[in-house]
Amino acid sequence: MTDDARQPRPAKGATPAGRSPAVVAENLKEQLYATLTVMAVTLGLTRAEHLTPAMAALAVTATALGLWLATVIADQQAHRVVYGEVARGADLRRLLYVSGPLLGCALAPLLLIGLSALGVLPLVDALYTSTWLGAAALFTWGCRAGLRMGASRVAAVVAGLLDLGVGAVVVVIKLASGH
């Protein structure tokens, strides 16, 4: 297959689990935001002195839980203001689906920190590996988006690299501002 051969494109509106494209886009937005935030946290933790795996796990868990709770509370408040009632049923399921990645972003770092606690790898290596996994996710999402938009493979890789570059800038800004 040549670089400019087009990938088959799913029909418009075809999304996971029958979700609307708008809801899937919100979910992905939260995945991207959570990935950037956890990348900044794990990278920032590499500079901490006397850090233990338990302390690192607590920092990652608190970050993910704090992001998730803030999002759920904000979404619930917005729903109450707009609709005059608390989100229930399908609205609550949408809210939880959209905010779910904010918790899921902690899984890979916690697994790696757990391996560090077991002595399988040094904690700093676990934190750097976690950061690199987040970077790989950003690159993959950029490539996938490029292919979904009908770009060639080369253009999709460029899109992935651009997403990775933007992610790096965001992480640097978060680190510089103390996050």
Side-chain angles (χ1 to χ4, degrees), residues 113-160:
I113 292 167
L115 290 174
S116 172
L118 295 172
V120 175
L121 73 159
L123 180 56
V124 169
D125 292 351
L127 295 170
Y128 277 125
T129 301
S130 176
T131 303
W132 281 109
L133 287 174
L138 293 175
F139 174 76
T140 301
W141 285 322
C143 288
R144 189 170 165 208
L147 291 172
R148 183 157 170 99
M149 293 171 59
S152 69
R153 288 183 182 169
V154 170
V157 167
V158 170

Side-chain angles (χ1 to χ4, degrees), residues 7 23 28 34 66 84 103 107 117 156:
Q7 296 294 318
V23 170
L28 181 57
L103 292 173
L107 294 178

Side-chain angles (χ1 to χ4, degrees), residues 78-92:
H79 190 89
R80 288 191 342 242
V81 167
V82 172
Y83 298 105
E85 62 184 26
V86 172
R88 293 186 184 90
D91 290 331
L92 182 58

Side-chain angles (χ1 to χ4, degrees), residues 66-78:
L67 284 172
W68 180 76
L69 281 172
T71 299
V72 168
I73 290 167
D75 283 352
Q76 198 56 275
Q77 179 68 18

